[in-house]
Every structure is written in C-alpha cells, then in structure tokens.
Amino acid sequence: MMDVVDVDVVVIGGGVPGLAAVQALALAERSVLLVTEELVLGEECVTAEAWQASHGAVDLGLTYWSPAQNYAFQELVEKQLELVETQLPSDKEWVFELRDGTLHHSPGEKEVFPGGELADRLIDELDDLSLLVGLDPRRPHRALDAAELDAHTVASWVEAWFDRQPDADAVRRDLVRQSLAAGLRAVFGAELHEIGMLYLLHYGASAGTFGWLVVPVGAFAVRFRDGARSLVGAFEAALGLGTHGPPVWRGVQVEAVRHLSTGVEVQVRGLPLVRAQRAIVAGPPASWPDLPITFDDPALASQWAARLALAREVRHGRCIRAFVSFRSPFWLEAGLQATVLATREPAAGPIAWTLDHSWPEGHPQAPSHPYVVACNLSGAYADHWRVRTRADRREAVIAQLERILGPRTRQELVDDGLDYLENLDQPGGSIVGTAPVIGAGVLTRLGSAFELLGDEVGRLGVASRVLAEQWSGTLEGALHAGDRAGTRAARALDTPLLPTPGGPVAQAAAGAMPLRRPVVRCPARGRRSRRS
Amino acid sequence: MGRGRVEQVDVVIVGGGLSGLAAADLLHQRSLAGRSSASFVVLEAGDRLGGRVLTAEAPGHFGWLDMGGAFFAVTQHHVMRMVDRFGLVIDQTYLPQGKSWRFQLESGEVLELRSDDPTSYPGGLHTLEALAVLDRLTCHVRSSLTEPEVSLRAELFDQWSVADFIANYAMFSPQGEPMHDHTRQAFTVSVRSGFSAEPHQISFLYLLHYAARTGSYAMLADILGGPLSAEGTRLAYGAGDLVAALHGALPRGAVRMGEAVQRITQGKEGCTVTTRDGTYTCGRVIVATAPRDASQGIVFDPPLAATPGAEPAGARRETLTGAAFMGRTIKGFLLYRTPWWRDVGDGHTGNTMATHADIDRFPLDWALDHVWDPPEPDPARPVPPHPNALMTFIVGEAANRWAGRSREERRDALCRQLADIYGTRAAIDELLPDTPAQPSYLEHDFHGVGRFGGCPSALLPPQVFAGVPGALAAPVGRVHFAGSESAVQWAGYMNGALQSGQRAAAEVLTQGVR
C-alpha cells in the first residue's frame, strides 16, 4: 500500500506568499501541508550573516516597506517584531548626480527632481493616470485609455508626452528622462523601455499613486530591525511550522500535481502521496510553467494555460545591492542625507540609487558598525557591472560616493575589512529584492487572465506578489496575495462558522506589541499644497 | 411627469455632493483633454453644493467650521491630489508628543492617558490585543477588497452585530476571557465616533469591510496615528474649499440647483430624469448620494429589481437601499477665548472620549482640538479672531435623545461635561459670549435636513451585506451608483466620495453614454 497524507490544503512554494497562505489557513483552523523545493522558507528574504555581528541585520533581498502597508504592519504587531526607519532627515539635502556629473541638490522635505516644473508636471500626470487606472483595481486592462497606454513602454509614452508640452525643449527633456529613469530603476531595477506603461500605472495605483512608489518616505520608509529573515523566523515560530503546527516538506521535488474532480493529489519524490481538497501554488509566476500539473477537466486546463501565458511575460528587474560601512555619518555634517539618485553612464559610475541604511542615532541596540550606506546598482547598471570583479565594483562605488558625499568618504571607511558587502556574495542574490516587470501590450492582450489571476482554477489557487491588487510586487503584495489565496481556499472548504475559543486567531494576537506607526510625511503629494 | 423644458444630455448626475462633483469633473476634464465629449448636468435638490460637506461660519469668531466631512489621512490619495491640484491649504490635527488625553468611563470616572505611551489606552494591553484581533479579521476582509462577502467567516460576521462580536469576544481573546471592561468601553466609543451609531445597530461584517477599505481598524479609530490616521489632516479653510474648487472647475451652467429628482425612467435607448420643473433625457444616470438617501423621493421606473437585463444587481440594490440607515451625529464647535485644555496639568491634546452611562446628562462622545493654526496660511484671507475651537460630537442614541432639546441645553451639557472631565471651570468660563448674532456654539445635525438621513455615512444592520454581493457599486442597467459608501478605498470618507464619483464617470465612459 502506498502511504497517503490527507490534508485540507497543500501549499506549494515556501516564499512569503506561501507562508502568508499557510497562516491564513491555520487561522481558519484548516489542516495544511507546505511543500517547497527550496531548503529555506522565505527565500526572498536574505539577511547577510557575514555582517550580522558587526552591523546588525543587513538585507540583501526584500527590505523596505511603508507604515502605510497594513499586512506588513499587522505582522509586525502580532509577531512583536521591531522596525527601523530609513534615515531621511528633512533638514538635509538629497543629491541627484546627473549623466554629465553635475550634482543637483534637493531640499530633504520636498521632492524636487531635475527638470523642475516639467518634472513636477510629469509626476502630476503619472499620479492622475495611476489614480484613473486604479479606479477598478482588478481590471487595469479595462481602464479608460487602457489600450492606448498599454501600446507604450514608459520610454515611448514619455516621449509622446513631451511632444504635447510646449516647454519641453531638448535640455529639459533630457533632465526629466534622467529623473524618471532613476526613479523607476529604484522601484523596478529595470529600464524605461522594458516597462509597459499600463503596467507601471497599475503598479503605482496598487501602492496608492505613482508618487508613493518612487519617493523614499513612501515605499522605502522602514525595514525590519532584525532583517527580513526575522519575519520568516517569526512565521515559523508563530505557526509552529514543522513542529507543533503545519508540517513542512523542504528541499523536495514535486513530481506530479493531479487536479481531479474530487481533490488535488501531489506526488513528491520519495514521500507519501498528498491528497488535499485544494492546492495553492505560491511564488513567482516564472516557476509556474515548470509545475508538472495535469487537469481532469479540459476547461480548467485551458484556464491554467491562460495564466501560464501571462506568467511567461513576467520578467524581473536586476539589482546588485552593495553596502558600504563608515565610522561616522559624516554626510550629515555636510548637510546631506545619504539619499542619492544617479544617472552616469554605467561605466562612469555604477550607482543607480542609495539610501542611508544607518541605525538611528543613539539606538539602544545599535551594533558596533551602525553607519551604512546602501548602494544599488540597478537595471542597466547591474547588467554592466555584474561581469566585473567584486574589487572593481567596490572601488567604483566608493569613488562615486566620494564625488557625491565628499572627500571624507574614503577616510571614514571602517578599517577592519568589513567596509563592503554585496548581494552577489550570496548565490542568487541579484534576483531577490527587485520587482517584477511586465512589458507593453501584455495586460490588454492577456487581460482576462490577469483579472482572474487572484482567483482559482478549479481547486487550484495562486499566490504571487506579481499583480497583487495592493502594493503589487512588494513584500506587502506578497503577504496580501498569500492571505487572499489562503482565506479563499479556507472559505471554499466550508469552514466551520465559529472559531475555537482561544484558538489560532486569539493566539496570534496574544501579547500583540504595543506600537504606534511611525509618523510619515506624505511623499510627492502636497508638494505644492501651499502654492496660492 | 415634470413640466417645462426638456433637455437632452449624455449623462445626468444626481446629487451635487463631492461625489457628484468629482464625477462631473472627470467627464469635463476628459472633454478638455479631447478624450471624450460626453455632455452632462449635475442636479442638486438643495440650495447648496457639497452634500455631507458643509463649511459654516461663526460670525466674528471663526470663518471655517466643518459641520460635516472634514478630516483626511495623507494616504487619501484622491483628496491629496485635489489639494495639490487646487493649491488648497492644509492644517494638521494638534497631536504633540508628551501630552495627555482623557477618557471618561461609563461610571463617570476619568482616565488620564499619555499620547506618547503606546500602552496608554483604556484597558491597556487588553485593548492592544483586541485591536490586533480586529485588524487580523480586517486583513482577511481586505484580501478580497472588492468582494467582502466572500471573506473568511463572512456569513457569521454578518449575522453578528458589532455588539455580538463584543459579547462573543472570548473566542478571540488570547486568555479566552470576555472583553476587558475598559477595552469594551474604548471599542464602543470608537465605534460610536467612527460611525455615529450604536454597536448593536451595525453588522460586524460591514464594520470590518469599512475598516478594510480604510486600511485597518487602528487607522480608523486611533487618532494617535498622526498623518496616517483618518483624522490627521483637514483643510484650513474648510472642506468647502474643495467643493468650491471642484465647482469652479466645471463649465458654467453644468450644475442646476433646486432640482430635486423625482423619477428616473430607464428604457432600451436611454433614460429620462424628471424633476419638479423639468425633464432630462440622457444615455446614462449617475446617482451620487448615500444609498439610503437615494431611495428617498426618487421613483425608479421600472423598479430597480425589475430592470430588464439587470438581474441580480437591481434586486440587490433595492435590498441594500431598503436596509441601509444613516449614522446620526450632532457635530458642534465650542469657541473659547483660550485653548484651555492645552494647559491643564502637564498639557492635554484636547482629544477627549466619553461613554458616560447617564447620556441624558452627559451626551459627549468625542471632542477634539480644532484650533486654527495652519503652518502656511493664505495671506489673502483673514485670520480668525477666535481660532480656539473644540470640536464636539453627540452621536447615536445620545443624538436621538438630545436632538429634542434646545441648542443652549446641549451647549451647557457639553461644557459641564468637559469641566467635569478636566476638573476645571475653564470649560464653562472660557467660552466666548454666546449671542444670536455671534454664537460661540455652532452645531449641525444632518438628520432630516432635506433628503439627508444623517451623517457621516450609511450603515447596514446585520444579515443584509453578505447577501447582496457587489450591490454597493454595481450599475443597474443604465443607472450607475457613486457616493462615498460605494468606494473601494476609504468608503464613507471624503476620499471615497471622490473615488466613487470618478469610478462611476469612468464606468459611464467605458460603457458608452448612448
């Protein structure tokens, strides 16, 4: 007799969406088995072990989030994690290093991009369009002007927009192009010609507006103090994964998934057959085509094929994240934040954007090396610099910081050999931490698959941060997508109506951390609110 | 049938509140951009625009007091975009760190709480755990934002009123115990101040849905969230500034005042909208009012439930509007010589919550500092001579009872209760002279004024919501529905009004106006 494991739901994929789906099912008091080909759970979350002792947690994968994100905040509260705010003092300036090497300074409390009034107007236009596309959050492909927008990449759309602006001379166009390219590299790790215009607007709408995406006080405002891995660890502990809670099969190979009219069977190499009422495929769409799944019903098979067609269109941004460690936050004395956008030719400067990754001054748990600048070699910069040596990248990053933050950059480097860390030090490191990217024409062509992306194919649900209705592409989107898939599966199982007294929902809230959201400034919005 | 002129337009917008104006604005902006050419009129039954936004003046004291919608969070993107677009002046709610706030319990006992101590709530950690429970349940509803009725345990939560959730809280309590008494009182006050109704009146699923569309219950209820909280920001010159700006951006003649719609007739080819004085033929209609208010005085012909080809949306819409009721609030402003509360003890924010059991003597639910102090005022406009306002709310059952008394009785009761809570006669003595020409207590109750059922928004009792999926926003044939309650984000707030109006206008353009 073949061994059989019976569960209500099997979740395939142990990344953040998978963990969130398992949690939703556990809270609904359903039995669930988590199956993952990876050895670790939450593979998008990579906290550098090499720097843990000296610098505290430094994240090479998913890092930043916003206190306006409610799923992440709920995890923080329930799991009693701590956060650290990105150091963005409003009385210091941030710097844009233009292609020609000119340094453009902007006051810290405002977002003044190179290109002046024309750049402002472009942000307004993108905000308006993202609000328009977001009016029906699940159907961007049916928004007003969707076909026209989707015919463009961001690059081609902005050129057409320039042509409609009377003041868009060649100089201003060039500056605004650099502003937009730098902003979107920070979000996507991709170039303007790679990103579909309608996709960009949907992505912005899912975060609220375009402005909230690109401005540090929006999507980059906070991170987990003990790193993104602390979130994964807290999931494992809170759910008792693999111990007293749902079982986990890690590092296994899924050989077959059979969707039957009566349930879903999952065959894992060398392990008992899993018989579940429902299944959830969690994780990046790029992995879905490899899933060996069969359907008993041809109609369902064709629905799945439509989702795969969409999945094949999802690309990933590229980002080499490099951390540089200093003895002091010397930039503050120069009246600067360590926030930089840069658009040098890649060979002339590897940095696309930076943020101050330091611990807040006087933090009681601050490590011995609290002053760090996170430098990101994104999009074309990652492509150019990936093939160079680590030593080359280190030297080029430090040389560029020196030009921007001043000559003290080199003097203030820590001198114990722990002054530079990059995610290429970690296998697979350049993939994690960047956003999914979809090109022009895809959403309107495959719109119906997109509309249904969060819905089930028969007994099969999907959970991916790609195209999440809320904060698409981000940690928040991953938590949202997982919670959505899990709650929908639980509901489809005819969940018993009454929760068990003192059961999982109650236990999740036990000792919920007393914590207020950090005060946030409004990014982009309100820039001109006092203009009469 | 109406008499007089017959006018033909593409779209008739019923209601000149923020939602109707936002719908009109989107249609007009699309025309200006050469992207569509839909003609439209806005029909407003009353003699003013703004609907549940009403900015009043206290002559000689303070020019801009919002008797209706007032506050927004910096994450209310549709409002913030309008603030930018029209250059409106904003003011932040006074919430300095290191100050105290007060909570009056049912017994009359007063708790002093610290605004910078995160455990400083009535009920302390018990209340924080209850908030975590509520927000986890809110997460599950938000997971299916556009389909709250398919969220986890939706049927159970819709069978329950909010009071039933409180009664069954032991199920969710980490200790398996009933809700801590102070937590119960704090939650009750937050429900009253958020919805202007009593916990036993409101479906628990509807409350979760409302919180989901806000973001979280904590953001809805916890003023201490600062700019992210729903009460963090207001317009220094009143929310009427936004109404005036939207109106000013519309073409002349697009808004018709005193046009009370009596009948909306739908045919295959189009619609006819009849008012007392005229008839409009059009391709589509946008009804931009609260669900309950739309059903007052407007006859749908055929009835929504019998609209051909609109099953089941029409029947669901009828069920929804038949069951919806409005919260009730008597919102007031006490105008003082000094912001005396800021100097009580080590300093207070003025944020005051109360749930005194004897509501016939102590009607206050919530009070908040409303001192006018924008960081960058408009130099072209006067500074209020007496900017030291304290905003007060009498809501729910207390509003029903106190509506029958005189303005002076309400004023005196509020002042006495505040004096009680803060232990100082300043709450009585510092009030400016209250005269008919220059009142120092202004108040408004939307209930029963014109077609208004109340304020701030429409609510559902138990056992309706889960049975009418999509009914808040789904069009019925050629009739589309806006109004804040139908919004995907911030339903019930000004942002929801803007979002839903824009959504309905986009819907009309997408589906074709003919």
Side-chain angles (χ1 to χ4, degrees):
Chain A
M1 279 295 290
M2 189 170 52
D3 283 345
V4 173
V5 172
D6 280 299
V7 289
D8 291 328
V9 181
V10 55
V11 175
I12 304 168
V16 173
L19 292 172
V22 170
Q23 173 170 269
L25 287 156
L27 292 174
E29 303 183 40
R30 306 313 308 214
S31 65
V32 53
L33 166 69
L34 178 59
V35 174
T36 170
E37 303 197 345
E38 306 287 332
L39 288 167
V40 296
L41 298 176
E43 68 264 18
E44 315 93 317
C45 302
V46 184
T47 303
E49 286 169 19
W51 273 23
Q52 189 89 47
S54 52
H55 293 76
V58 173
D59 279 319
L60 303 172
L62 287 180
T63 309
Y64 300 108
W65 53 285
S66 160
Q69 295 177 341
N70 292 295
Y71 290 93
F73 197 81
Q74 182 71 17
E75 299 305 339
L76 183 87
V77 167
E78 279 182 3
K79 298 186 167 56
Q80 301 166 50
L81 303 169
E82 300 273 353
L83 52 72
V84 169
E85 292 176 54
T86 303
Q87 299 299 295
L88 298 162
S90 59
D91 60 341
K92 310 287 184 214
E93 295 182 324
W94 66 273
V95 186
F96 199 120
E97 189 186 23
L98 290 157
R99 190 188 302 109
D100 63 5
T102 315
L103 299 180
H104 169 102
H105 287 248
S106 170
E109 82 278 10
K110 292 214 163 95
E111 283 79 36
V112 181
F113 284 91
E117 174 76 11
L118 190 65
D120 274 0
R121 246 185 5 257
L122 177 62
I123 295 174
D124 284 351
E125 177 87 17
L126 291 169
D127 276 352
D128 282 343
L129 288 172
S130 61
L131 287 172
L132 200 63
V133 167
L135 287 173
D136 189 351
R138 293 194 69 195
R139 296 175 191 84
H141 57 289
R142 282 162 57 178
L144 290 172
D145 311 331
E148 182 187 326
L149 292 165
D150 204 28
H152 281 291
T153 64
V154 180
S156 69
W157 180 88
V158 77
E159 295 307 318
W161 182 82
F162 284 147
D163 291 341
R164 298 196 296 273
Q165 311 303 312
D167 56 341
D169 58 27
V171 174
R172 290 199 185 97
R173 283 182 187 219
D174 180 49
L175 291 173
V176 173
R177 244 180 244 129
Q178 292 187 55
S179 294
L180 187 62
L184 294 195
R185 263 186 217 112
V187 176
F188 294 100
E191 302 299 308
L192 299 184
H193 62 83
E194 300 174 66
I195 306 165
M197 186 62 191
L198 185 62
Y199 173 71
L200 168 71
L201 296 171
H202 162 73
Y203 198 96
S206 78
T209 66
F210 171 80
W212 274 74
L213 279 185
V214 293
V215 177
V217 292
F220 302 86
V222 295
R223 61 183 189 270
F224 289 105
R225 187 194 73 189
D226 300 321
R229 293 277 344 144
S230 70
L231 173 68
V232 178
F235 262 106
E236 293 188 65
L239 297 173
L241 289 179
T243 56
H244 61 277
V248 181
W249 295 354
R250 311 172 196 235
V252 297
Q253 192 185 339
V254 176
E255 291 183 324
V257 179
R258 286 183 288 275
H259 185 290
L260 311 171
S261 58
T262 51
V264 180
E265 289 182 356
V266 177
Q267 184 64 61
V268 174
R269 176 175 291 179
L271 286 164
L273 179 71
V274 179
R275 271 205 306 237
Q277 294 190 51
R278 308 189 68 86
I280 293 170
V281 176
S287 66
W288 300 349
D290 299 333
L291 193 70
I293 188 166
T294 54
F295 291 87
D296 58 333
D297 177 346
L300 295 179
S302 78
Q303 283 179 30
W304 180 244
R307 284 165 176 73
L308 291 188
L310 187 60
R312 288 193 184 94
E313 298 285 351
V314 180
R315 310 274 179 271
H316 255 276
R318 292 85 61 200
C319 180
I320 301 170
R321 181 170 293 165
F323 294 91
V324 185
S325 178
F326 296 100
R327 282 197 296 264
S328 77
F330 61 91
W331 49 89
L332 296 175
E333 288 163 38
L336 298 177
Q337 297 180 358
T339 307
V340 172
L341 289 174
T343 49
R344 302 303 303 272
E345 292 299 337
I351 291 175
W353 57 286
T354 74
L355 282 176
D356 190 339
H357 211 78
S358 303
W359 287 62
E361 202 59 47
H363 194 290
Q365 277 91 35
S368 58
H369 292 26
Y371 306 113
V372 174
V373 177
C375 304
N376 295 273
L377 291 55
S378 306
Y381 296 79
D383 301 340
H384 180 93
W385 286 89
R386 181 178 292 108
V387 295
R388 309 287 289 273
T389 66
R390 183 183 188 281
D392 282 353
R393 285 191 294 270
R394 177 183 171 279
E395 175 51 33
V397 163
I398 291 168
Q400 190 171 3
L401 284 179
E402 201 170 13
R403 291 198 301 269
I404 298 167
L405 299 180
R408 287 181 65 191
T409 301
R410 226 172 262 277
Q411 305 155 16
E412 293 289 335
L413 285 171
V414 298
D415 52 9
D416 57 2
L418 292 172
D419 64 358
Y420 184 85
L421 174 82
E422 61 179 35
N423 59 358
L424 290 187
D425 296 342
Q426 202 97 12
S430 67
I431 298 301
V432 294
T434 57
V437 177
I438 293 178
V442 176
L443 291 191
T444 47
R445 183 160 50 85
L446 300 172
S448 58
F450 167 70
E451 188 174 332
L452 295 168
L453 194 64
D455 292 351
E456 296 73 18
V457 177
R459 294 170 171 275
L460 184 72
V462 292
S464 158
R465 66 189 158 112
V466 178
L467 301 172
E469 275 170 61
Q470 295 153 40
W471 290 95
S472 178
T474 66
L475 171 69
E476 175 79 353
L479 292 167
H480 161 52
D483 192 82
R484 178 178 162 86
T487 53
R488 288 175 68 92
R491 200 189 140 76
L493 289 168
D494 192 20
T495 300
L497 279 180
L498 291 175
T500 305
V505 176
Q507 290 316 312
M513 197 178 61
L515 188 133
R516 296 254 161 74
R517 298 185 193 224
V519 170
V520 297
R521 285 186 293 128
C522 180
R525 304 264 51 84
R527 274 171 303 142
R528 289 180 291 164
S529 63
R530 281 144 208 157
R531 189 178 290 176
S532 52
Chain B
M1 279 297 288
R3 288 157 283 117
R5 61 178 194 276
V6 177
E7 205 171 322
Q8 187 170 354
V9 290
D10 293 323
V11 184
V12 168
I13 298 166
V14 181
L18 269 187
S19 185
L21 293 173
D25 177 62
L26 188 136
L27 294 176
H28 183 52
Q29 293 300 317
R30 299 284 297 177
S31 293
L32 288 180
R35 298 206 155 259
S36 71
S37 57
S39 60
F40 62 91
V41 289
V42 178
L43 305 181
E44 167 54 45
D47 58 1
R48 63 170 188 87
L49 296 175
R52 287 170 271 170
V53 170
L54 170 60
T55 301
E57 184 187 354
H61 291 320
F62 197 142
W64 310 282
L65 296 170
D66 278 318
M67 312 312 290
F71 292 101
F72 48 94
V74 295
T75 45
Q76 293 194 3
H77 305 296
H78 297 81
V79 175
M80 294 303 286
R81 183 70 192 98
M82 293 291 177
V83 166
D84 252 15
R85 175 177 154 197
F86 295 119
L88 307 178
V89 181
I90 59 178
D91 201 354
Q92 303 287 339
T93 301
Y94 175 74
L95 289 167
Q97 291 294 295
K99 304 287 180 185
S100 300
W101 63 287
R102 292 199 176 186
F103 189 100
Q104 187 176 36
L105 296 163
E106 288 166 357
S107 63
E109 185 194 338
V110 175
L111 303 177
E112 176 155 340
L113 302 149
R114 300 290 295 178
S115 66
D116 53 355
D117 171 1
T119 64
S120 190
Y121 284 88
L125 292 173
H126 296 285
T127 300
L128 290 161
E129 284 180 345
L131 263 182
V133 166
L134 267 170
D135 273 336
R136 175 50 71 186
L137 300 178
T138 299
C139 278
H140 293 327
V141 174
R142 200 170 61 249
S143 287
S144 295
L145 194 57
T146 49
E147 311 136 295
E149 62 286 338
V150 304
S151 66
L152 198 58
R153 300 189 175 106
E155 290 87 354
L156 171 69
F157 292 158
D158 196 36
Q159 281 167 27
W160 281 359
S161 69
V162 177
D164 293 326
F165 167 71
I166 294 173
N168 286 293
Y169 181 72
M171 263 175 222
F172 303 97
S173 149
Q175 293 78 31
E177 289 167 3
M179 192 177 276
H180 185 278
D181 193 51
H182 285 188
T183 299
R184 176 186 62 77
Q185 295 190 39
F187 181 46
T188 301
V189 171
S190 77
V191 170
R192 283 200 194 112
S193 51
F195 301 92
S196 297
E198 301 296 324
H200 69 83
Q201 296 178 286
I202 309 166
S203 152
F204 184 54
L205 180 66
Y206 192 75
L207 175 124
L208 292 175
H209 147 85
Y210 201 96
R213 292 183 174 202
T214 296
S216 71
Y217 193 82
M219 264 204 244
L220 184 157
D222 183 7
I223 178 127
L224 304 174
L228 278 177
S229 82
E231 285 84 25
T233 310
R234 63 180 191 264
L235 292 174
Y237 299 95
D241 243 20
L242 174 54
V243 175
L246 276 170
H247 184 206
L250 291 177
R252 201 177 278 270
V255 178
R256 313 288 166 81
M257 311 294 289
E259 283 276 64
V261 172
Q262 296 173 333
R263 177 177 293 266
I264 298 173
T265 308
Q266 273 200 70
K268 253 200 187 112
E269 308 297 319
C271 301
T272 306
V273 177
T274 313
T275 67
R276 200 190 58 198
D277 302 321
T279 302
Y280 299 82
T281 61
C282 61
R284 293 192 181 266
V285 178
I286 295 174
V287 177
T289 72
R292 175 257 175 218
D293 292 351
S295 64
Q296 306 298 301
I298 299 179
V299 174
F300 289 93
D301 177 20
L304 289 176
T307 306
E311 270 302 316
R316 287 176 180 171
R317 182 78 199 179
E318 264 188 15
T319 304
L320 176 85
T321 50
F325 66 98
M326 299 296 289
R328 183 167 195 185
T329 183
I330 304 172
K331 183 177 183 181
F333 291 90
L334 293 164
L335 302 174
Y336 287 103
R337 282 186 201 88
T338 57
W340 53 266
W341 54 91
R342 293 186 179 185
D343 300 323
V344 172
D346 294 338
H348 282 69
T349 62
N351 183 33
T352 312
M353 299 192 127
T355 178
H356 201 295
D358 186 0
I359 55 170
D360 291 320
R361 286 176 59 216
F362 301 99
L364 180 72
D365 171 68
W366 184 34
L368 191 64
D369 183 300
H370 200 272
V371 176
W372 192 87
D373 188 23
E376 292 177 53
D378 181 349
R381 298 209 235 188
V383 172
H386 295 114
N388 302 314
L390 195 65
M391 185 175 61
T392 58
F393 290 93
I394 302 172
V395 304
E397 180 55 24
N400 286 332
R401 293 201 202 174
W402 280 82
R405 304 214 205 166
S406 71
R407 189 190 75 93
E408 289 71 22
E409 284 178 283
R410 287 187 290 270
R411 175 199 65 198
D412 292 345
L414 290 168
C415 289
R416 272 199 310 270
Q417 189 172 355
L418 287 163
D420 234 42
I421 291 172
Y422 285 96
T424 167
R425 277 194 58 87
I428 299 165
D429 297 342
E430 286 296 297
L431 194 70
L432 289 159
D434 191 29
T435 66
Q438 293 199 354
S440 61
Y441 173 62
L442 265 81
E443 61 172 18
H444 191 76
D445 176 7
F446 276 91
H447 179 80
V449 177
R451 295 187 177 194
F452 292 104
C455 205
S457 63
L459 303 167
L460 285 174
Q463 298 180 34
V464 179
F465 197 39
V468 292
L472 281 169
V476 178
R478 292 174 169 273
V479 178
H480 299 254
F481 295 97
S484 186
E485 287 80 358
S486 71
V488 179
Q489 295 117 9
W490 295 95
Y493 292 85
M494 295 199 293
N495 194 80
L498 297 173
Q499 195 268 345
S500 67
Q502 292 169 357
R503 186 261 309 145
E507 223 169 66
V508 159
L509 291 176
T510 306
Q511 298 186 9
V513 293
R514 307 278 172 209

